[in-house]
Amino acid sequence: MKLVLKTALILIFHAVFCASQSSPSITCSYYAWQSANTTTYECALTISNPNGFDNFTRINGDHQPGFSDQNVTEIPFANGLTINIPQIICRQFANLKIIILDRIGITFVDNNSFRGCGHVERLNLNNNEISSVSVGAFWRNEKLKSLDLSENSIQILPENIFDNLSDLEVLNLSFNDFETIPNKTFKELDSLLDLRLAGVGMSRINPAWFENLGDLRYLYLYSNEISELSEDSFEDLDDLTLLNLSINPINGNFPPKIFEKLSKLTYLQLDQTGITNLNPKWFEKLDNLEQLFLKSNNISNLPDKIFDDLKSLRTLDISNNSLTVPRIASSTFDNLKTLQYLDLSYNSLTNLNPQWFINLQNLTTLLLTSNRISELPFGVFRPITRLMQLFLGNNNLKSINRNDFGNLSSLAHVYVQGNQIISADKRFFDDARALSFLNFLNNLCASENFIFFYLNRESNMQRLSRCLENSRFFVDTQTNFTINYTFFDAFHPGLHAQILSSRAAHITLSNAHTPRIEIIIGAQNNTRTIIQNSQGSIYADVSTPNILDLSQWRTFRVTWVNDVVLVFREDEKFPFIAQTIDRPFMIDYYGLKSPLSHTSWRVRPINIQRHN
Ligand SMILES: *[C@@H]1O[C@H](CO)[C@@H](O)[C@H](O)[C@H]1NC(C)=O
Ligand SMILES: *[C@@H]1O[C@H](CO)[C@@H](O)[C@H](O)[C@H]1NC(C)=O
Ligand SMILES: *[C@@H]1O[C@H](CO)[C@@H](O)[C@H](O)[C@H]1NC(C)=O
Ligand SMILES: *[C@@H]1O[C@H](CO)[C@@H](O)[C@H](O)[C@H]1NC(C)=O
Ligand SMILES: *[C@@H]1O[C@H](CO)[C@@H](O)[C@H](O)[C@H]1NC(C)=O
Ligand SMILES: *[C@@H]1O[C@H](CO)[C@@H](O)[C@H](O)[C@H]1NC(C)=O
Ligand SMILES: *[C@@H]1O[C@H](CO)[C@@H](O)[C@H](O)[C@H]1NC(C)=O
Ligand SMILES: *[C@@H]1O[C@H](CO)[C@@H](O)[C@H](O)[C@H]1NC(C)=O
Ligand SMILES: *[C@@H]1O[C@H](CO)[C@@H](O)[C@H](O)[C@H]1NC(C)=O
Ligand SMILES: *[C@@H]1O[C@H](CO)[C@@H](O)[C@H](O)[C@H]1NC(C)=O
Ligand SMILES: *[C@@H]1O[C@H](CO)[C@@H](O)[C@H](O)[C@H]1NC(C)=O
Ligand SMILES: *[C@@H]1O[C@H](CO)[C@@H](O)[C@H](O)[C@H]1NC(C)=O
């Protein structure tokens, strides 16, 4: 049985192969499409002509009733193989308007290929193997509006090839192997709007090409070998709205005034162009720029005012660079009031500066994926009142806190997969009423991906119950002029406390909801730190002038391993005050108060571990 099948296949293959070898053929399947007020009559072409004969006398196929060759206006696609374009096509179908002959192995286009097609408006020859095009190939096709020669192997582009194409609006020459593009190649293309020259191995831009292209709107030059740009490169293109220069070895050497004449530009793509430092001059005249892409460069700093002239910017993508927190000025994004989309993914951010987002009221999408962010500063997303999508995947986050967000009514997509989240505040979920997509995969307290979170709130919260339960160890609170302690569950071996206060922040460690050991940071008008017992007998007392600050969070660590209380500043290795507990007890609770000041606290367990 198997053998028979195999033989049959060989026979079929043989038959097809020999047929294509011995009898070249061109056939149409005809279709008529009725739309509102017009009928389109088209030929789906099948061609078998591997030797490139051009002596065909007729294209085979049966017309639909009432139609003839004159009615054919489109070749929407072609199947098969041919190395040439037999002139019979344009002779038999003189009224063709659309010709699509992609991916059929064409190797050359000559003066006769389209001679008869005086009405053609759109011609696609992309993804063939064309290596030569005669200078007069398109001279008779004066109605052409769109010509696609992309993804071929054209090396020589004759200077006069586009003569007579004064109606041409779209010209796609991308991904060819041009040796040179002569100065006057595009001189007759008065109507050209869209010119694509990506991936053509070009090493420099010749301003002479663009001299007559005053109407050009779209220019694609990505994936070339451009290493040098002159100031006048684009000076004739004052209508340009899109410029794509990505993936060129420019090494960031854009002359300061390179984009000066492009005041209508709305879209500028400069990915992978070796930029290390942005120059504010580049953007000075780009009042209308809406989208700026700076992906995959080596940008390590964003100075103050760098984007201040971009008054219309809606999308800013600086992903995959080398940005660090201290090297992005606090006011970098201050003038971007129209910004809707900000991508800072794949950088080296270990933290976020809450000042960055202060003026981004219109931001809806913020991407911070794949940085090394371990903690969100208090209230960081509060100014972004319209936030809809937040991407925080692949960072080192440990908790989700309600207080980091303002109004959560718009938030619909949250991506926090691949962090070390051990705790999540229930109030976050209660308030994020629109939450739809929540990717929580690969975290410590849960690994779940939720779609349409709001549909099954109860059971989804159940699946996050361990995270919600753990949030009691993550305390964000204020103790403004409180005389009595508020108690929280303590977690061995200690706690991290961020404190915003002018003086006297009290922490007590206890086995019950009553104070035992008290630590007073910034006692005596913010000059000393004291450890005392609940009766007020002082055990330790050190000078710590200005240890607290009302305008800046100060970070401390308090540990109680082996009945020794140690208090550290920030990440310091040695404690600045220490005390052995003389009558040891189990520390199950800690309390916070600040009888003499407004004090805000963010308390976290040290050494967070998975716990039930
Ligand atoms: C056919 O309809 C389109 C829009 O539906 C309209 O623009 C066009 O002018 C119409 N053509 C004729 C010949 O009526
Ligand atoms: C076209 O020319 C080739 C080679 O000269 C020949 O074999 C073939 O029969 C010709 N076809 C027609 C339709 O004349
Ligand atoms: C086909 O074209 C002819 C000549 O242009 C025209 O008279 C005829 O109406 C067309 N047929 C249809 C079905 O449109
Ligand atoms: C195509 O036509 C042009 C202009 O008439 C002529 O110079 C050129 O030699 C022709 N090319 C071929 C291959 O016949
Ligand atoms: C097209 O352009 C060529 C070269 O510029 C010219 O010789 C020719 O007369 C023009 N018109 C036509 C219909 O080919
Ligand atoms: C060439 O450019 C045109 C014009 O925008 C575009 O529609 C077409 O998809 C491009 N062709 C290819 C193969 O990318
Ligand atoms: C092409 O244009 C460049 C730049 O404008 C000019 O330097 C060069 O001489 C021109 N070449 C020819 C052959 O006209
Ligand atoms: C610009 O070029 C880049 C690099 O190839 C590409 O990813 C991007 O989609 C292009 N932009 C447009 C609008 O084509
Ligand atoms: C912010 O967005 C709203 C709604 O889309 C829009 O009306 C408003 O003009 C935008 N504000 C700025 C400064 O772009
Ligand atoms: C505590 O004081 C701060 C600063 O004055 C204030 O923003 C906050 O709302 C107060 N909190 C409470 C719970 O009173
Ligand atoms: C503080 O605690 C004491 C003793 O438990 C109680 O009498 C007092 O009312 C509390 N004060 C406040 C402000 O809660
Ligand atoms: C407390 O310290 C502040 C700032 O150093 C100072 O202005 C104030 O006079 C001090 N108050 C007392 C009571 O010493």
Side-chain angles (χ1 to χ4, degrees), residues 378 382 477-482 500 550 597-600:
F378 190 80
R382 273 191 203 166
T477 191
Q478 284 129 15
T479 56
N480 297 346
F481 294 97
T482 47
L500 193 62
L550 190 54
S597 60
H598 283 274
T599 298
S600 299

mmCIF file with all atom_site columns, all heavy atoms in Angstrom, residues 378 382 477-482 500 550 597-600, ligand 10:
data_model
loop_
_atom_site.group_PDB
_atom_site.id
_atom_site.type_symbol
_atom_site.label_atom_id
_atom_site.label_alt_id
_atom_site.label_comp_id
_atom_site.label_asym_id
_atom_site.label_entity_id
_atom_site.label_seq_id
_atom_site.pdbx_PDB_ins_code
_atom_site.Cartn_x
_atom_site.Cartn_y
_atom_site.Cartn_z
_atom_site.occupancy
_atom_site.B_iso_or_equiv
_atom_site.pdbx_formal_charge
_atom_site.auth_seq_id
_atom_site.auth_comp_id
_atom_site.auth_asym_id
_atom_site.auth_atom_id
_atom_site.pdbx_PDB_model_num
ATOM   1   N N   . PHE A 1 378 ? 6.787  55.395 47.360 1.00 0.00 ? 378 PHE A N   1
ATOM   2   C CA  . PHE A 1 378 ? 5.456  55.677 47.869 1.00 0.00 ? 378 PHE A CA  1
ATOM   3   C C   . PHE A 1 378 ? 4.691  56.594 46.920 1.00 0.00 ? 378 PHE A C   1
ATOM   4   O O   . PHE A 1 378 ? 5.173  57.647 46.527 1.00 0.00 ? 378 PHE A O   1
ATOM   5   C CB  . PHE A 1 378 ? 5.620  56.341 49.243 1.00 0.00 ? 378 PHE A CB  1
ATOM   6   C CG  . PHE A 1 378 ? 4.353  56.485 49.985 1.00 0.00 ? 378 PHE A CG  1
ATOM   7   C CD1 . PHE A 1 378 ? 3.819  55.406 50.674 1.00 0.00 ? 378 PHE A CD1 1
ATOM   8   C CD2 . PHE A 1 378 ? 3.680  57.696 50.012 1.00 0.00 ? 378 PHE A CD2 1
ATOM   9   C CE1 . PHE A 1 378 ? 2.646  55.533 51.380 1.00 0.00 ? 378 PHE A CE1 1
ATOM   10  C CE2 . PHE A 1 378 ? 2.506  57.835 50.710 1.00 0.00 ? 378 PHE A CE2 1
ATOM   11  C CZ  . PHE A 1 378 ? 1.986  56.756 51.386 1.00 0.00 ? 378 PHE A CZ  1
ATOM   12  N N   . ARG A 1 382 ? 0.563  57.789 41.484 1.00 0.00 ? 382 ARG A N   1
ATOM   13  C CA  . ARG A 1 382 ? -0.605 58.618 41.802 1.00 0.00 ? 382 ARG A CA  1
ATOM   14  C C   . ARG A 1 382 ? -0.882 59.722 40.799 1.00 0.00 ? 382 ARG A C   1
ATOM   15  O O   . ARG A 1 382 ? -2.033 59.960 40.436 1.00 0.00 ? 382 ARG A O   1
ATOM   16  C CB  . ARG A 1 382 ? -0.459 59.223 43.192 1.00 0.00 ? 382 ARG A CB  1
ATOM   17  C CG  . ARG A 1 382 ? -0.981 58.292 44.246 1.00 0.00 ? 382 ARG A CG  1
ATOM   18  C CD  . ARG A 1 382 ? -1.084 59.023 45.565 1.00 0.00 ? 382 ARG A CD  1
ATOM   19  N NE  . ARG A 1 382 ? -1.040 58.041 46.632 1.00 0.00 ? 382 ARG A NE  1
ATOM   20  C CZ  . ARG A 1 382 ? -0.835 58.356 47.901 1.00 0.00 ? 382 ARG A CZ  1
ATOM   21  N NH1 . ARG A 1 382 ? -0.623 59.607 48.247 1.00 0.00 ? 382 ARG A NH1 1
ATOM   22  N NH2 . ARG A 1 382 ? -0.823 57.422 48.802 1.00 0.00 ? 382 ARG A NH2 1
ATOM   23  N N   . THR A 1 477 ? 1.676  53.490 56.495 1.00 0.00 ? 477 THR A N   1
ATOM   24  C CA  . THR A 1 477 ? 0.754  54.161 57.421 1.00 0.00 ? 477 THR A CA  1
ATOM   25  C C   . THR A 1 477 ? 1.281  55.530 57.840 1.00 0.00 ? 477 THR A C   1
ATOM   26  O O   . THR A 1 477 ? 2.428  55.873 57.548 1.00 0.00 ? 477 THR A O   1
ATOM   27  C CB  . THR A 1 477 ? 0.494  53.260 58.654 1.00 0.00 ? 477 THR A CB  1
ATOM   28  O OG1 . THR A 1 477 ? -0.583 53.797 59.391 1.00 0.00 ? 477 THR A OG1 1
ATOM   29  C CG2 . THR A 1 477 ? 1.719  53.144 59.536 1.00 0.00 ? 477 THR A CG2 1
ATOM   30  N N   . GLN A 1 478 ? 0.428  56.292 58.482 1.00 0.00 ? 478 GLN A N   1
ATOM   31  C CA  . GLN A 1 478 ? 0.824  57.584 59.042 1.00 0.00 ? 478 GLN A CA  1
ATOM   32  C C   . GLN A 1 478 ? 0.450  57.622 60.518 1.00 0.00 ? 478 GLN A C   1
ATOM   33  O O   . GLN A 1 478 ? -0.589 57.090 60.891 1.00 0.00 ? 478 GLN A O   1
ATOM   34  C CB  . GLN A 1 478 ? 0.109  58.723 58.311 1.00 0.00 ? 478 GLN A CB  1
ATOM   35  C CG  . GLN A 1 478 ? 0.687  59.007 56.954 1.00 0.00 ? 478 GLN A CG  1
ATOM   36  C CD  . GLN A 1 478 ? -0.367 59.051 55.874 1.00 0.00 ? 478 GLN A CD  1
ATOM   37  O OE1 . GLN A 1 478 ? -1.550 59.132 56.151 1.00 0.00 ? 478 GLN A OE1 1
ATOM   38  N NE2 . GLN A 1 478 ? 0.069  58.974 54.644 1.00 0.00 ? 478 GLN A NE2 1
ATOM   39  N N   . THR A 1 479 ? 1.316  58.201 61.308 1.00 0.00 ? 479 THR A N   1
ATOM   40  C CA  . THR A 1 479 ? 1.031  58.317 62.750 1.00 0.00 ? 479 THR A CA  1
ATOM   41  C C   . THR A 1 479 ? 1.191  59.780 63.140 1.00 0.00 ? 479 THR A C   1
ATOM   42  O O   . THR A 1 479 ? 2.122  60.139 63.841 1.00 0.00 ? 479 THR A O   1
ATOM   43  C CB  . THR A 1 479 ? 2.019  57.455 63.566 1.00 0.00 ? 479 THR A CB  1
ATOM   44  O OG1 . THR A 1 479 ? 3.353  57.863 63.224 1.00 0.00 ? 479 THR A OG1 1
ATOM   45  C CG2 . THR A 1 479 ? 1.845  55.976 63.295 1.00 0.00 ? 479 THR A CG2 1
ATOM   46  N N   . ASN A 1 480 ? 0.297  60.624 62.651 1.00 0.00 ? 480 ASN A N   1
ATOM   47  C CA  . ASN A 1 480 ? 0.447  62.067 62.880 1.00 0.00 ? 480 ASN A CA  1
ATOM   48  C C   . ASN A 1 480 ? 0.093  62.430 64.327 1.00 0.00 ? 480 ASN A C   1
ATOM   49  O O   . ASN A 1 480 ? -1.046 62.331 64.722 1.00 0.00 ? 480 ASN A O   1
ATOM   50  C CB  . ASN A 1 480 ? -0.479 62.848 61.942 1.00 0.00 ? 480 ASN A CB  1
ATOM   51  C CG  . ASN A 1 480 ? -0.128 62.624 60.486 1.00 0.00 ? 480 ASN A CG  1
ATOM   52  O OD1 . ASN A 1 480 ? 0.944  62.106 60.177 1.00 0.00 ? 480 ASN A OD1 1
ATOM   53  N ND2 . ASN A 1 480 ? -1.028 62.994 59.600 1.00 0.00 ? 480 ASN A ND2 1
ATOM   54  N N   . PHE A 1 481 ? 1.093  62.825 65.072 1.00 0.00 ? 481 PHE A N   1
ATOM   55  C CA  . PHE A 1 481 ? 0.884  63.249 66.465 1.00 0.00 ? 481 PHE A CA  1
ATOM   56  C C   . PHE A 1 481 ? 0.083  62.214 67.262 1.00 0.00 ? 481 PHE A C   1
ATOM   57  O O   . PHE A 1 481 ? -0.839 62.562 67.984 1.00 0.00 ? 481 PHE A O   1
ATOM   58  C CB  . PHE A 1 481 ? 0.183  64.628 66.505 1.00 0.00 ? 481 PHE A CB  1
ATOM   59  C CG  . PHE A 1 481 ? 1.061  65.720 65.954 1.00 0.00 ? 481 PHE A CG  1
ATOM   60  C CD1 . PHE A 1 481 ? 0.925  66.129 64.633 1.00 0.00 ? 481 PHE A CD1 1
ATOM   61  C CD2 . PHE A 1 481 ? 2.044  66.304 66.751 1.00 0.00 ? 481 PHE A CD2 1
ATOM   62  C CE1 . PHE A 1 481 ? 1.748  67.113 64.119 1.00 0.00 ? 481 PHE A CE1 1
ATOM   63  C CE2 . PHE A 1 481 ? 2.864  67.291 66.222 1.00 0.00 ? 481 PHE A CE2 1
ATOM   64  C CZ  . PHE A 1 481 ? 2.722  67.694 64.921 1.00 0.00 ? 481 PHE A CZ  1
ATOM   65  N N   . THR A 1 482 ? 0.411  60.950 67.115 1.00 0.00 ? 482 THR A N   1
ATOM   66  C CA  . THR A 1 482 ? -0.291 59.935 67.896 1.00 0.00 ? 482 THR A CA  1
ATOM   67  C C   . THR A 1 482 ? 0.515  59.616 69.154 1.00 0.00 ? 482 THR A C   1
ATOM   68  O O   . THR A 1 482 ? 1.734  59.432 69.108 1.00 0.00 ? 482 THR A O   1
ATOM   69  C CB  . THR A 1 482 ? -0.502 58.636 67.101 1.00 0.00 ? 482 THR A CB  1
ATOM   70  O OG1 . THR A 1 482 ? 0.728  58.289 66.482 1.00 0.00 ? 482 THR A OG1 1
ATOM   71  C CG2 . THR A 1 482 ? -1.585 58.783 66.056 1.00 0.00 ? 482 THR A CG2 1
ATOM   72  N N   . LEU A 1 500 ? 9.243  59.127 56.897 1.00 0.00 ? 500 LEU A N   1
ATOM   73  C CA  . LEU A 1 500 ? 9.180  60.521 56.438 1.00 0.00 ? 500 LEU A CA  1
ATOM   74  C C   . LEU A 1 500 ? 8.674  61.313 57.637 1.00 0.00 ? 500 LEU A C   1
ATOM   75  O O   . LEU A 1 500 ? 7.509  61.192 58.021 1.00 0.00 ? 500 LEU A O   1
ATOM   76  C CB  . LEU A 1 500 ? 8.199  60.619 55.277 1.00 0.00 ? 500 LEU A CB  1
ATOM   77  C CG  . LEU A 1 500 ? 8.171  61.883 54.440 1.00 0.00 ? 500 LEU A CG  1
ATOM   78  C CD1 . LEU A 1 500 ? 9.507  62.120 53.749 1.00 0.00 ? 500 LEU A CD1 1
ATOM   79  C CD2 . LEU A 1 500 ? 7.066  61.779 53.392 1.00 0.00 ? 500 LEU A CD2 1
ATOM   80  N N   . LEU A 1 550 ? 11.667 65.712 56.857 1.00 0.00 ? 550 LEU A N   1
ATOM   81  C CA  . LEU A 1 550 ? 10.244 65.723 56.508 1.00 0.00 ? 550 LEU A CA  1
ATOM   82  C C   . LEU A 1 550 ? 10.016 65.708 54.997 1.00 0.00 ? 550 LEU A C   1
ATOM   83  O O   . LEU A 1 550 ? 8.946  65.389 54.510 1.00 0.00 ? 550 LEU A O   1
ATOM   84  C CB  . LEU A 1 550 ? 9.560  66.947 57.138 1.00 0.00 ? 550 LEU A CB  1
ATOM   85  C CG  . LEU A 1 550 ? 8.033  66.963 57.072 1.00 0.00 ? 550 LEU A CG  1
ATOM   86  C CD1 . LEU A 1 550 ? 7.412  65.701 57.640 1.00 0.00 ? 550 LEU A CD1 1
ATOM   87  C CD2 . LEU A 1 550 ? 7.488  68.184 57.790 1.00 0.00 ? 550 LEU A CD2 1
ATOM   88  N N   . SER A 1 597 ? 5.124  64.645 65.844 1.00 0.00 ? 597 SER A N   1
ATOM   89  C CA  . SER A 1 597 ? 5.300  65.003 64.417 1.00 0.00 ? 597 SER A CA  1
ATOM   90  C C   . SER A 1 597 ? 4.300  64.285 63.517 1.00 0.00 ? 597 SER A C   1
ATOM   91  O O   . SER A 1 597 ? 3.711  63.281 63.886 1.00 0.00 ? 597 SER A O   1
ATOM   92  C CB  . SER A 1 597 ? 6.728  64.636 63.974 1.00 0.00 ? 597 SER A CB  1
ATOM   93  O OG  . SER A 1 597 ? 6.926  63.245 64.142 1.00 0.00 ? 597 SER A OG  1
ATOM   94  N N   . HIS A 1 598 ? 4.178  64.847 62.302 1.00 0.00 ? 598 HIS A N   1
ATOM   95  C CA  . HIS A 1 598 ? 3.545  64.135 61.198 1.00 0.00 ? 598 HIS A CA  1
ATOM   96  C C   . HIS A 1 598 ? 4.558  63.092 60.742 1.00 0.00 ? 598 HIS A C   1
ATOM   97  O O   . HIS A 1 598 ? 5.668  63.461 60.373 1.00 0.00 ? 598 HIS A O   1
ATOM   98  C CB  . HIS A 1 598 ? 3.326  65.076 60.013 1.00 0.00 ? 598 HIS A CB  1
ATOM   99  C CG  . HIS A 1 598 ? 2.179  66.006 60.183 1.00 0.00 ? 598 HIS A CG  1
ATOM   100 N ND1 . HIS A 1 598 ? 0.901  65.680 59.850 1.00 0.00 ? 598 HIS A ND1 1
ATOM   101 C CD2 . HIS A 1 598 ? 2.136  67.285 60.640 1.00 0.00 ? 598 HIS A CD2 1
ATOM   102 C CE1 . HIS A 1 598 ? 0.095  66.692 60.086 1.00 0.00 ? 598 HIS A CE1 1
ATOM   103 N NE2 . HIS A 1 598 ? 0.813  67.684 60.584 1.00 0.00 ? 598 HIS A NE2 1
ATOM   104 N N   . THR A 1 599 ? 4.197  61.835 60.722 1.00 0.00 ? 599 THR A N   1
ATOM   105 C CA  . THR A 1 599 ? 5.166  60.818 60.294 1.00 0.00 ? 599 THR A CA  1
ATOM   106 C C   . THR A 1 599 ? 4.486  59.790 59.396 1.00 0.00 ? 599 THR A C   1
ATOM   107 O O   . THR A 1 599 ? 3.416  59.287 59.720 1.00 0.00 ? 599 THR A O   1
ATOM   108 C CB  . THR A 1 599 ? 5.792  60.122 61.525 1.00 0.00 ? 599 THR A CB  1
ATOM   109 O OG1 . THR A 1 599 ? 6.481  61.110 62.292 1.00 0.00 ? 599 THR A OG1 1
ATOM   110 C CG2 . THR A 1 599 ? 6.761  59.031 61.105 1.00 0.00 ? 599 THR A CG2 1
ATOM   111 N N   . SER A 1 600 ? 5.137  59.539 58.250 1.00 0.00 ? 600 SER A N   1
ATOM   112 C CA  . SER A 1 600 ? 4.675  58.478 57.359 1.00 0.00 ? 600 SER A CA  1
ATOM   113 C C   . SER A 1 600 ? 5.660  57.326 57.411 1.00 0.00 ? 600 SER A C   1
ATOM   114 O O   . SER A 1 600 ? 6.868  57.542 57.526 1.00 0.00 ? 600 SER A O   1
ATOM   115 C CB  . SER A 1 600 ? 4.588  58.988 55.920 1.00 0.00 ? 600 SER A CB  1
ATOM   116 O OG  . SER A 1 600 ? 3.671  60.056 55.854 1.00 0.00 ? 600 SER A OG  1
HETATM 117 C C1  . LIG B 2 .   ? -0.700 62.813 58.200 1.00 0.00 ? 10  LIG B C1  1
HETATM 118 O O1  . LIG B 2 .   ? -0.018 63.964 57.780 1.00 0.00 ? 10  LIG B O1  1
HETATM 119 C C2  . LIG B 2 .   ? 0.288  64.004 56.426 1.00 0.00 ? 10  LIG B C2  1
HETATM 120 C C3  . LIG B 2 .   ? 1.173  65.225 56.191 1.00 0.00 ? 10  LIG B C3  1
HETATM 121 O O2  . LIG B 2 .   ? 0.653  66.357 56.793 1.00 0.00 ? 10  LIG B O2  1
HETATM 122 C C4  . LIG B 2 .   ? -0.996 64.029 55.642 1.00 0.00 ? 10  LIG B C4  1
HETATM 123 O O3  . LIG B 2 .   ? -0.709 64.061 54.238 1.00 0.00 ? 10  LIG B O3  1
HETATM 124 C C5  . LIG B 2 .   ? -1.779 62.792 55.957 1.00 0.00 ? 10  LIG B C5  1
HETATM 125 O O4  . LIG B 2 .   ? -3.040 62.791 55.301 1.00 0.00 ? 10  LIG B O4  1
HETATM 126 C C6  . LIG B 2 .   ? -1.995 62.655 57.448 1.00 0.00 ? 10  LIG B C6  1
HETATM 127 N N1  . LIG B 2 .   ? -2.543 61.347 57.683 1.00 0.00 ? 10  LIG B N1  1
HETATM 128 C C7  . LIG B 2 .   ? -3.488 61.107 58.592 1.00 0.00 ? 10  LIG B C7  1
HETATM 129 C C8  . LIG B 2 .   ? -3.931 59.679 58.705 1.00 0.00 ? 10  LIG B C8  1
HETATM 130 O O5  . LIG B 2 .   ? -3.930 62.000 59.265 1.00 0.00 ? 10  LIG B O5  1
#
